[in-house]
Each structure stands twice: as structure tokens, then as C-alpha cells.
Amino acid sequence: MAPSDPVQHHFDSQRLRLAYWEWGSTDAPPLLLLHGKRDHARSLDRLAAAFRENYRVVAPDLRGHGDSDWAVGGYYGMSEHIADLLALIDVIGGPVDIVGHSFGSRIALYAAGAFPERVHSVVAIEATVNFAFRGLSRRPLSEPEALRRWIARHEGYAELQPRVYTTFEAARERIQLVDSRLDDAFALELARHALRPVEGGYIWKFDPFARGRTSDEVDVETVRSFWSAVECPVLHLLGGASTWSTTPPLEEDRAAFRDARWVIVPDAGHWLHHDAPEVAIRETRAFLARHGLAAT
């Protein structure tokens, strides 16, 4: 193992064995990196490498992702993810600075709103999801028909047959279909960490049930109520070419936060930290230099 390689550890949360990767000194302030859905902790390696000198960088595989256990019953509610996050903070000590991408950033902001004493600052990459575009404008339990649609979709995940990739290169091509800005070498590295071996090749590590919405998702107004409860400083990074977020952010989103700064990266998509890593690192470093635990 090279000196810069992370070490994998495990912790328990709600009877699941969850994995996390760690870089840097255990004596340094903790910086958590939270990946998004259908992703894995090692997709944040570039960010980890940039901050390991000043932080104890910890990147968990969310439940149902990477090397973490799949949830019994296939339920991946926001409350469960927050419980996992708090369990990890108990293990490494808090409060913590957090950098999150997409769903990971939303976990961080919910946690910061509900447990302000546990979260010191947040860098949220592509957190302000376009609710209408992603079909999140109404809760599954808000009306009978919405519940019927949610149940039907959830049951459909059990019928999914994972695609078997015969080589890492084949999976790399699939990753580049989602993010065409990735070069071959980096996309191949992402594929190597994202797959597990099966007969005939490899399949994605994430649980198919982790794909979709959960019954405890909330409407836009409730999301903003959590944002308004966030006391710590927040840096929002948005991809100017992203179709996943509302860019530029809505005034209602801006107004929901007490202390937030917004940066739009013109040539980056939803995976901004992959498309423009130097910008993501520069902006995060400047933010943490002012507001992070290592600066205090």
C-alpha cells in the first residue's frame, strides 16, 4: 500500500455493517466526504488527496453502496442515512466539516439543520436539485395515487436483473455515457472501485433498491425548512451545464439559508468534482480556510 492510499474501516449502524475509507492523521480535524446515489466513496479520491494533509479525511460508502451492507427490505430513507452519518460521527468524533455531492450533500444539509451541534460547515456540490425535473414536488404519501406509483416503482426494483460487464473497460464506457467529460483513465479507475466480481464478469456494487425515491421524502417547502435551520456556513457549488440542479439557484433557495455562498462553474455538469476538480478543490480550500475546523 502506498503512503497516500486510504485505509478501509467499518462501523455499525442500525444492524448494518458500513464501510468507510480514511486518509491523513487521526489527530487532524475530521472532514467527511459523502457521495451521491449509485456512487461510492472512492469517487471522491481527488478531494480526499487534496485535503489529507490538513484533515482526517473520512469517506463512507452509504448503506447499499460500495462495500457497505445492503438494507434489509431495500429501504433507503433519508432518516436512515442521517442515522448512519451520526453513527459515523460518533466513531470518529465531532463536530465535522462535510463535503457532499448530490444526495450526499442533501444528507449533510438535513443533518446540519436537525443536529447543528454535529456539523461545523458544509460544502454542498449540486445540492439544490431541480425538484420538478426530478419528480420530487410531491411526497409519495401525500395522496393515494402518489402512494400507488411509489409502491409500483419500489416493487419493480426486485425484478431488476443487474447487467454483467465482462470487463472493466465495458463498465468504463457506461460511466462515460453518463458523464462524457471523464477521460478514459479516470473513468476506468471509477469503474474498478464501483464493481464487484460475479460469474461471467462484474456488476455494480450498489443495491438496485437504492435507485429510487423513498416514502419519507419531503416536499419543497419542508426541504427549505430544514435549510433555514442550518446554522453553519455553507458553500454551494453548482455545475453550469448540469440538468440535475436549478442553475442559477432560485431566490427561494438562496433565501432559505442563513449563511451561504453560491458558486456556479460554467463548464461542469452534475459531477462537478470530476468535470472541474481544480475549481472544486480551489473553492473548497478557500471556504475551509475561512470556516473549516482546521482554520480554528
Side-chain angles (χ1 to χ4, degrees), residues 21-43:
W21 299 85
E22 186 173 21
W23 296 254
S25 170
T26 57
D27 295 327
L31 174 65
L32 293 190
L33 308 181
L34 301 182
H35 67 79
K37 282 191 176 183
R38 292 185 287 173
D39 214 332
H40 53 88
R42 298 303 300 275
S43 70

Side-chain angles (χ1 to χ4, degrees), residues 12 23 81 83 148-149 165 185 196 221-222 271 292:
D12 295 323
W23 296 254
H81 285 291
R148 288 174 61 86
R149 288 194 300 269
Y165 295 88
R196 63 180 175 88
E221 289 72 22
T222 307
W271 285 269

Side-chain angles (χ1 to χ4, degrees), residues 1-2 4 11 21 88 95 127 132 135 151 172 181 197 203 207 230 250 253 266 273 278 280 286:
M1 180 181 294
S4 59
F11 70 105
W21 299 85
L88 179 56
I151 292 293
R172 182 262 300 167
R181 295 172 175 83
I203 63 173
D207 184 352
V230 175
L250 301 176
D253 291 345
H273 54 301
E278 68 289 344

Side-chain angles (χ1 to χ4, degrees), residues 172-247:
R172 182 262 300 167
E173 292 175 358
R174 178 66 182 88
I175 289 174
Q176 288 175 304
L177 285 177
V178 176
D179 188 354
S180 60
R181 295 172 175 83
L182 294 176
D183 62 63
D184 289 352
F186 186 57
L188 183 61
E189 184 68 13
L190 292 176
R192 291 185 186 278
H193 290 297
L195 298 168
R196 63 180 175 88
V198 295
E199 183 177 353
Y202 307 90
I203 63 173
W204 302 118
K205 288 181 177 179
F206 67 82
D207 184 352
F209 277 80
R211 290 173 175 269
R213 299 175 59 189
T214 59
S215 61
D216 71 349
E217 284 182 349
V218 295
D219 53 28
V220 180
E221 289 72 22
T222 307
V223 171
R224 290 180 180 140
S225 75
F226 272 88
W227 291 347
S228 67
V230 175
E231 299 177 3
C232 68
V234 178
L235 171 65
H236 287 277
L237 299 178
L238 298 178
S242 173
T243 59
W244 291 64
S245 62
T246 304
T247 309

